[in-house]
Amino acid sequence: QAQLVQSGAEVKKPGASVKVSCQASGYTFTNFDIDWVRQAPGQGLEWMGRVHRFNGVTTYTHDLQDRVTMTTDPSTSTAYMELRSLRSDDTAVYYCVRDYYDKRGYYYDSWGQGTLVTVSS
Amino acid sequence: SSELTQDPAVSVALGQTVRITCQGDSLRDYNASWYRQKPGQAPVAVIYGRNYRPSGIPDRFSGSTSGDTASLTITGTQAEDEADYYCYSRDSTTNHVRFGGGTKLTVL
């Protein structure tokens, strides 16, 4: 059973950076990519980007590509998401998700528990 | 347009059938997935691919696509199905993901 466990809640001031970790267990980490999805309070889901499961190649949503960096450490089965120059509208729950694929298609079959990042002065 | 459009809210009587729709150009090339999210919880996939249910999802959930519109149908809706539902698609060229704005399902 795949499991993703994220780091704890963070409170940051505008302009600061935050780095959220996501430790995977229960499967071979290098078999699936990790995506990051966020959800602002009372709002919908927003896809942030993806980091390749073993070569670290990333793809980001256009709106965040100048401020976000996603990495992995296969030796510890951990993925990281760093967001810089934080603004109040970055306040959200951040989820890491396993990008599962089989012959029938892609979907997110495992989600981390979510990390609340609050940006406030 | 790369946007996915969902009705903000839908209601259904207990035990009846409800359809939640999602419209967008990317759905012509990619089969939508659907996620259910209850308050305070992470989303859970209920449909992916053409019409496949992940393990543990009851068979009252089904999916279909016609043209640029994907549909999630719940047959015999239960009280525990009350939740927010999001559609999901991927761009066939960039492999970027797009979510619909979500539909709040109320079971009466």
Side-chain angles (χ1 to χ4, degrees):
Chain A
Q1 180 84 1
Q3 187 173 16
L4 302 174
V5 178
Q6 299 181 221
S7 50
E10 303 262 14
V11 179
K12 297 291 184 181
K13 294 192 181 302
S17 298
V18 68
K19 191 170 186 178
V20 179
S21 67
C22 168
Q23 178 149 34
S25 62
Y27 73 100
T28 301
F29 182 74
T30 51
N31 283 354
F32 301 98
D33 296 346
I34 293 288
D35 286 22
W36 290 86
V37 173
R38 71 178 180 177
Q39 186 171 36
Q43 302 300 309
L45 303 172
E46 179 187 11
W47 182 76
M48 299 177 67
R50 176 177 308 118
V51 56
H52 194 273
R53 54 197 176 276
F54 61 79
N55 65 18
V57 172
T58 53
T59 181
Y60 303 133
T61 187
H62 179 77
D63 291 348
L64 293 174
Q65 63 184 11
D66 294 334
R67 298 194 294 129
V68 70
T69 300
M70 297 174 187
T71 56
T72 61
D73 181 352
S75 69
T76 60
S77 300
T78 304
Y80 299 92
M81 186 284 299
E82 181 180 35
L83 189 61
R84 301 175 295 278
S85 302
L86 289 167
R87 311 186 296 238
S88 59
D89 62 357
D90 292 318
T91 294
V93 174
Y94 289 75
Y95 293 102
C96 61
V97 294
R98 187 172 82 158
D99 191 25
Y100 179 83
Y101 175 78
D102 65 21
K103 61 182 179 181
R104 293 168 289 193
Y106 286 97
Y107 75 105
Y108 296 148
D109 71 329
S110 295
W111 294 66
Q113 82 275 21
T115 296
L116 175 62
V117 175
T118 302
V119 183
S120 174
S121 54
Chain B
S1 168
S2 60
E3 300 291 327
L4 296 178
T5 301
Q6 298 182 239
D7 291 329
V10 171
S11 61
V12 61
L14 184 68
Q16 297 303 300
T17 296
V18 64
R19 186 172 69 179
I20 298 170
T21 62
C22 174
Q23 183 177 23
D25 288 343
S26 63
L27 298 175
R28 297 183 184 278
D29 302 319
Y30 188 85
N31 293 310
S33 297
W34 290 91
Y35 297 83
R36 175 182 63 194
Q37 186 180 34
K38 297 183 179 181
Q41 298 182 16
V44 172
V46 294
I47 290 288
Y48 77 105
R50 186 171 297 276
N51 181 17
Y52 299 104
R53 286 174 285 105
S55 176
I57 301 301
D59 61 5
R60 63 178 180 272
F61 289 88
S62 64
S64 63
T65 301
S66 177
D68 68 350
T69 300
S71 299
L72 172 70
T73 300
I74 309 174
T75 304
T77 307
Q78 303 299 302
E80 63 261 31
D81 298 331
E82 185 164 284
D84 294 326
Y85 289 84
Y86 294 91
C87 62
Y88 150 119
S89 180
R90 291 169 89 111
D91 183 279
S92 59
T93 302
T94 66
N95 220 16
H96 286 198
V97 168
R98 177 76 63 174
F99 287 101
T103 297
K104 182 177 182 59
L105 177 66
T106 299
V107 180
L108 304 173

